[in-house]
Amino acid sequence: MSNNLDEEVVYTLKDTVKLTGLSIDLVRLYEKEFNLQIQRTEGGHRRYTKQNIDLLIEIKKRNTRAKLEL
C-alpha cells in the first residue's frame, strides 16, 4: 500500500486479494470481464484504488447471489 500526502492511496494486487477475499486469478478475470481500468506502474504492476476494491467486492457479492439463485 502506498500513501503519499498528495496522492490517493493505492494497493498492490497482494493487498487487494487480502481486502477482497478474491484469488489473484479472479481479480484478473474480473478486470478483464468487466473492463476495469486499473492503474499500472511504469514497470506494469497493478495498483488498485479504494474505488476499484469496492467495485471488486460488489462484483463478488453479485456473483455469489447469482449462484445462490440457480
Side-chain angles (χ1 to χ4, degrees), residues 1-56:
M1 177 170 52
S2 171
N3 186 7
N4 294 334
L5 293 177
D6 58 343
E7 292 182 16
E8 181 177 17
V9 174
V10 292
Y11 302 87
T12 64
L13 180 56
K14 185 176 178 180
D15 293 331
T16 300
V17 165
K18 288 178 184 177
L19 291 167
T20 62
L22 296 168
S23 69
I24 290 173
D25 290 337
L26 267 179
V27 171
R28 290 178 178 156
L29 177 69
Y30 288 171
E31 284 177 34
K32 185 176 179 180
E33 291 281 320
F34 295 96
N35 196 29
L36 304 181
Q37 302 301 311
I38 305 302
Q39 298 174 22
R40 300 261 184 161
T41 65
E42 288 182 20
H45 298 280
R46 292 169 170 86
R47 294 295 180 258
Y48 299 84
T49 63
K50 174 77 166 89
Q51 183 180 8
N52 296 144
I53 290 171
D54 290 343
L55 185 55
L56 287 165

